[in-house]
Amino acid sequence: METVNSGQIDDMQNPGRDLSEQIKAVTKEIHVRAENTQLMLSYQKGQITLPQYKLLLCSLYEIYKALEGEMDRNASHPGVAPIYFPQELARLETLERDLEHFFGQEWRKRVIIPAATHRYTQRLRKIGEGNPKLLVAHAYTRYLGDLSGGQVLGKITQKSIGLSSGEGLSFFSFPGVSSPNRFKQLYRSRMNSIELTKEERDGVLEEAIMAFELNIQVFNDLQKMLSVTEEAYGNQEKAETPATIPPSLSIVQLSLGICVALATVGMGIYVF
Ligand code: HEM
């Protein structure tokens, strides 16, 4: 996990500043690292492929299922209530729609979850149960990211993959948010209204760095899975993910690809 550097400690020692300013400052460096992961670089170059996008959707689905499950469960907790905006922000249903679009009605059986995604969801559930005040760090990292760079990523996805009229792109669309910038201002002011002791605030700042780190690990795992399976299937099958293996592939090729991918991502693939 990411260690806290001296600049970040300065922010933690400046309790007079608003939480929204501090959280942005302490995650500045790791935001750059997140932008520079191979997956995000592919995005920025407009080179996102359909297999990449489909795998990303699977992981996002798991992450938002855990995040929104914990937010719902703790909706009236004083550390969550001010930043609880299910109408405006909830992503779970949008992801379900997108997954159904790409994988069909039986999408639940075809979703693949890398180990890093599983670790991320475990962390979300643990803090949702034991320390809900830390949820703000995760909600901030995902939702404000989705409302910032995420908006550009949606347009790039549509163009790169050649999707028409928003099909499979619900995740990027926030019909309940007419102005992302104004909404982000409201969100920041709500974050700043959460009452936190110095220790709790430091905990939130560290958790935000961890939230970014968990996202980076997810992107890296997805990238590894894709590279390995692409190699195993060869260029001809490059356009398909392991979740959508064409029936023409032999069982040997199939097993080889999945075994190599499993070994590479370290722990295993979680299918539900
Ligand atoms: C291609 C990758 C990315 C690009 C190009 C990008 C770009 C941006 C931009 C332009 C902003 C607005 C900055 C501002 O208003 O001052 C932003 C904000 C943000 N991004 Fe990213 N981003 C990327 C990836 C990510 C990732 C992977 C995460 C987290 C998982 C993330 C989380 C955030 C957050 C939380 C904010 C809000 C910062 C704040 O206002 O406090 N971003 N991003």
Short mmCIF file of all heavy atoms in Angstrom, two decimals, residues 73-102:
data_model
loop_
_atom_site.label_atom_id
_atom_site.label_comp_id
_atom_site.label_asym_id
_atom_site.label_seq_id
_atom_site.Cartn_x
_atom_site.Cartn_y
_atom_site.Cartn_z
N ARG A 73 -26.55 0.87 3.63
CA ARG A 73 -26.67 0.33 4.99
C ARG A 73 -26.38 1.39 6.05
O ARG A 73 -26.95 1.38 7.13
CB ARG A 73 -25.69 -0.84 5.14
CG ARG A 73 -25.96 -1.75 6.29
CD ARG A 73 -25.55 -3.17 5.95
NE ARG A 73 -24.11 -3.30 5.75
CZ ARG A 73 -23.26 -3.52 6.74
NH1 ARG A 73 -23.70 -3.59 7.97
NH2 ARG A 73 -21.99 -3.68 6.50
N ASN A 74 -25.48 2.31 5.71
CA ASN A 74 -25.07 3.34 6.67
C ASN A 74 -25.65 4.71 6.32
O ASN A 74 -25.11 5.74 6.75
CB ASN A 74 -23.54 3.44 6.69
CG ASN A 74 -22.89 2.21 7.30
OD1 ASN A 74 -22.99 1.99 8.51
ND2 ASN A 74 -22.25 1.39 6.48
N ALA A 75 -26.74 4.71 5.57
CA ALA A 75 -27.27 5.99 5.03
C ALA A 75 -27.52 7.04 6.12
O ALA A 75 -27.38 8.23 5.87
CB ALA A 75 -28.53 5.73 4.23
N SER A 76 -27.92 6.60 7.31
CA SER A 76 -28.23 7.60 8.34
C SER A 76 -27.06 7.83 9.30
O SER A 76 -27.19 8.59 10.26
CB SER A 76 -29.49 7.18 9.12
OG SER A 76 -29.28 5.88 9.64
N HIS A 77 -25.93 7.20 9.05
CA HIS A 77 -24.75 7.42 9.89
C HIS A 77 -24.27 8.87 9.66
O HIS A 77 -24.24 9.34 8.52
CB HIS A 77 -23.66 6.42 9.48
CG HIS A 77 -22.47 6.45 10.37
ND1 HIS A 77 -21.50 7.45 10.32
CD2 HIS A 77 -22.07 5.61 11.37
CE1 HIS A 77 -20.58 7.21 11.23
NE2 HIS A 77 -20.89 6.10 11.88
N PRO A 78 -23.89 9.57 10.75
CA PRO A 78 -23.49 10.98 10.57
C PRO A 78 -22.29 11.21 9.64
O PRO A 78 -22.13 12.30 9.08
CB PRO A 78 -23.16 11.45 12.00
CG PRO A 78 -23.15 10.24 12.85
CD PRO A 78 -23.91 9.17 12.16
N GLY A 79 -21.48 10.16 9.46
CA GLY A 79 -20.33 10.31 8.55
C GLY A 79 -20.71 10.02 7.10
O GLY A 79 -19.91 10.26 6.18
N VAL A 80 -21.92 9.52 6.89
CA VAL A 80 -22.34 9.14 5.53
C VAL A 80 -23.51 10.01 5.05
O VAL A 80 -23.54 10.45 3.89
CB VAL A 80 -22.73 7.63 5.49
CG1 VAL A 80 -23.35 7.24 4.15
CG2 VAL A 80 -21.52 6.74 5.80
N ALA A 81 -24.45 10.29 5.95
CA ALA A 81 -25.69 11.00 5.56
C ALA A 81 -25.44 12.25 4.71
O ALA A 81 -26.10 12.44 3.67
CB ALA A 81 -26.52 11.33 6.80
N PRO A 82 -24.48 13.12 5.08
CA PRO A 82 -24.31 14.35 4.28
C PRO A 82 -23.87 14.08 2.83
O PRO A 82 -24.11 14.91 1.95
CB PRO A 82 -23.20 15.12 5.03
CG PRO A 82 -23.15 14.53 6.40
CD PRO A 82 -23.58 13.10 6.26
N ILE A 83 -23.22 12.94 2.59
CA ILE A 83 -22.71 12.68 1.22
C ILE A 83 -23.46 11.51 0.57
O ILE A 83 -22.97 10.89 -0.37
CB ILE A 83 -21.19 12.39 1.23
CG1 ILE A 83 -20.81 11.34 2.28
CG2 ILE A 83 -20.40 13.66 1.42
CD1 ILE A 83 -19.92 10.26 1.78
N TYR A 84 -24.67 11.26 1.09
CA TYR A 84 -25.47 10.15 0.55
C TYR A 84 -26.40 10.72 -0.53
O TYR A 84 -27.37 11.40 -0.23
CB TYR A 84 -26.26 9.51 1.69
CG TYR A 84 -27.04 8.27 1.30
CD1 TYR A 84 -26.39 7.13 0.85
CD2 TYR A 84 -28.44 8.25 1.40
CE1 TYR A 84 -27.11 5.98 0.51
CE2 TYR A 84 -29.16 7.11 1.07
CZ TYR A 84 -28.48 5.99 0.62
OH TYR A 84 -29.20 4.86 0.28
N PHE A 85 -26.08 10.44 -1.80
CA PHE A 85 -26.85 10.98 -2.93
C PHE A 85 -27.22 9.85 -3.90
O PHE A 85 -26.77 9.88 -5.06
CB PHE A 85 -26.00 12.01 -3.70
CG PHE A 85 -25.79 13.31 -3.00
CD1 PHE A 85 -24.60 13.58 -2.34
CD2 PHE A 85 -26.77 14.30 -3.03
CE1 PHE A 85 -24.38 14.80 -1.71
CE2 PHE A 85 -26.56 15.53 -2.39
CZ PHE A 85 -25.37 15.78 -1.74
N PRO A 86 -28.02 8.88 -3.44
CA PRO A 86 -28.28 7.74 -4.34
C PRO A 86 -28.98 8.14 -5.65
O PRO A 86 -28.67 7.60 -6.71
CB PRO A 86 -29.15 6.81 -3.49
CG PRO A 86 -29.68 7.65 -2.39
CD PRO A 86 -28.70 8.75 -2.16
N GLN A 87 -29.89 9.11 -5.57
CA GLN A 87 -30.63 9.51 -6.79
C GLN A 87 -29.68 10.06 -7.85
O GLN A 87 -29.81 9.79 -9.03
CB GLN A 87 -31.65 10.63 -6.48
CG GLN A 87 -32.72 10.25 -5.50
CD GLN A 87 -33.80 9.41 -6.16
OE1 GLN A 87 -33.76 9.22 -7.38
NE2 GLN A 87 -34.73 8.89 -5.39
N GLU A 88 -28.75 10.86 -7.39
CA GLU A 88 -27.86 11.54 -8.34
C GLU A 88 -26.68 10.66 -8.77
O GLU A 88 -26.25 10.74 -9.92
CB GLU A 88 -27.30 12.82 -7.70
CG GLU A 88 -28.32 13.92 -7.46
CD GLU A 88 -29.11 13.75 -6.17
OE1 GLU A 88 -28.91 12.71 -5.48
OE2 GLU A 88 -29.93 14.62 -5.86
N LEU A 89 -26.17 9.85 -7.83
CA LEU A 89 -24.88 9.22 -8.10
C LEU A 89 -24.89 7.70 -8.32
O LEU A 89 -23.96 7.18 -8.96
CB LEU A 89 -23.91 9.52 -6.93
CG LEU A 89 -23.56 10.99 -6.71
CD1 LEU A 89 -22.62 11.13 -5.51
CD2 LEU A 89 -22.89 11.58 -7.95
N ALA A 90 -25.89 6.99 -7.81
CA ALA A 90 -25.81 5.51 -7.80
C ALA A 90 -25.47 4.95 -9.18
O ALA A 90 -26.06 5.35 -10.19
CB ALA A 90 -27.13 4.94 -7.29
N ARG A 91 -24.52 4.06 -9.22
CA ARG A 91 -24.01 3.50 -10.49
C ARG A 91 -24.37 2.04 -10.71
O ARG A 91 -24.16 1.50 -11.79
CB ARG A 91 -22.46 3.60 -10.54
CG ARG A 91 -21.86 4.99 -10.48
CD ARG A 91 -22.14 5.81 -11.72
NE ARG A 91 -23.43 6.46 -11.66
CZ ARG A 91 -24.08 6.89 -12.74
NH1 ARG A 91 -23.60 6.74 -13.93
NH2 ARG A 91 -25.26 7.47 -12.61
N LEU A 92 -24.87 1.38 -9.66
CA LEU A 92 -25.05 -0.07 -9.77
C LEU A 92 -26.00 -0.46 -10.91
O LEU A 92 -25.69 -1.33 -11.73
CB LEU A 92 -25.56 -0.63 -8.43
CG LEU A 92 -25.46 -2.14 -8.30
CD1 LEU A 92 -24.03 -2.63 -8.44
CD2 LEU A 92 -26.04 -2.60 -6.96
N GLU A 93 -27.14 0.23 -10.98
CA GLU A 93 -28.11 -0.12 -12.04
C GLU A 93 -27.57 0.22 -13.43
O GLU A 93 -27.83 -0.50 -14.39
CB GLU A 93 -29.44 0.60 -11.81
CG GLU A 93 -30.24 -0.10 -10.73
CD GLU A 93 -31.57 0.58 -10.44
OE1 GLU A 93 -32.07 1.31 -11.33
OE2 GLU A 93 -32.07 0.39 -9.33
N THR A 94 -26.80 1.28 -13.51
CA THR A 94 -26.25 1.64 -14.84
C THR A 94 -25.27 0.54 -15.29
O THR A 94 -25.24 0.17 -16.46
CB THR A 94 -25.51 3.00 -14.81
OG1 THR A 94 -24.36 2.91 -13.96
CG2 THR A 94 -26.39 4.13 -14.33
N LEU A 95 -24.52 0.02 -14.32
CA LEU A 95 -23.55 -1.04 -14.66
C LEU A 95 -24.28 -2.32 -15.05
O LEU A 95 -23.87 -3.04 -15.97
CB LEU A 95 -22.60 -1.27 -13.49
CG LEU A 95 -21.57 -0.15 -13.32
CD1 LEU A 95 -20.97 -0.15 -11.92
CD2 LEU A 95 -20.46 -0.29 -14.37
N GLU A 96 -25.39 -2.60 -14.37
CA GLU A 96 -26.18 -3.80 -14.74
C GLU A 96 -26.67 -3.69 -16.17
O GLU A 96 -26.63 -4.65 -16.94
CB GLU A 96 -27.36 -3.97 -13.76
CG GLU A 96 -26.90 -4.46 -12.40
CD GLU A 96 -28.01 -4.52 -11.35
OE1 GLU A 96 -29.14 -4.06 -11.64
OE2 GLU A 96 -27.74 -5.01 -10.26
N ARG A 97 -27.13 -2.49 -16.54
CA ARG A 97 -27.62 -2.28 -17.91
C ARG A 97 -26.49 -2.48 -18.93
O ARG A 97 -26.66 -3.14 -19.95
CB ARG A 97 -28.17 -0.85 -18.06
CG ARG A 97 -29.62 -0.71 -17.66
CD ARG A 97 -30.27 0.50 -18.33
NE ARG A 97 -29.69 1.78 -17.96
CZ ARG A 97 -29.95 2.43 -16.82
NH1 ARG A 97 -30.78 1.91 -15.95
NH2 ARG A 97 -29.40 3.60 -16.56
N ASP A 98 -25.34 -1.90 -18.61
CA ASP A 98 -24.21 -2.02 -19.54
C ASP A 98 -23.74 -3.47 -19.66
O ASP A 98 -23.43 -3.94 -20.76
CB ASP A 98 -23.04 -1.13 -19.08
CG ASP A 98 -23.38 0.37 -19.21
OD1 ASP A 98 -24.32 0.70 -19.96
OD2 ASP A 98 -22.70 1.18 -18.57
N LEU A 99 -23.70 -4.17 -18.55
CA LEU A 99 -23.26 -5.58 -18.59
C LEU A 99 -24.24 -6.42 -19.40
O LEU A 99 -23.84 -7.29 -20.18
CB LEU A 99 -23.10 -6.13 -17.16
CG LEU A 99 -21.85 -5.61 -16.43
CD1 LEU A 99 -21.93 -5.90 -14.94
CD2 LEU A 99 -20.58 -6.23 -17.01
N GLU A 100 -25.53 -6.14 -19.22
CA GLU A 100 -26.53 -6.89 -19.99
C GLU A 100 -26.37 -6.60 -21.48
O GLU A 100 -26.50 -7.49 -22.32
CB GLU A 100 -27.94 -6.56 -19.51
CG GLU A 100 -28.98 -7.45 -20.17
CD GLU A 100 -30.36 -7.33 -19.55
OE1 GLU A 100 -30.48 -6.90 -18.40
OE2 GLU A 100 -31.32 -7.68 -20.26
N HIS A 101 -26.05 -5.36 -21.78
CA HIS A 101 -25.86 -4.99 -23.19
C HIS A 101 -24.74 -5.82 -23.82
O HIS A 101 -24.88 -6.32 -24.93
CB HIS A 101 -25.54 -3.49 -23.29
CG HIS A 101 -25.17 -3.05 -24.66
ND1 HIS A 101 -26.11 -2.84 -25.66
CD2 HIS A 101 -23.96 -2.83 -25.24
CE1 HIS A 101 -25.49 -2.49 -26.77
NE2 HIS A 101 -24.20 -2.48 -26.54
N PHE A 102 -23.63 -5.95 -23.11
CA PHE A 102 -22.47 -6.63 -23.70
C PHE A 102 -22.49 -8.15 -23.53
O PHE A 102 -21.99 -8.87 -24.39
CB PHE A 102 -21.16 -6.08 -23.10
CG PHE A 102 -20.87 -4.68 -23.54
CD1 PHE A 102 -20.90 -3.63 -22.64
CD2 PHE A 102 -20.58 -4.39 -24.87
CE1 PHE A 102 -20.65 -2.32 -23.05
CE2 PHE A 102 -20.33 -3.10 -25.30
CZ PHE A 102 -20.36 -2.06 -24.38
#
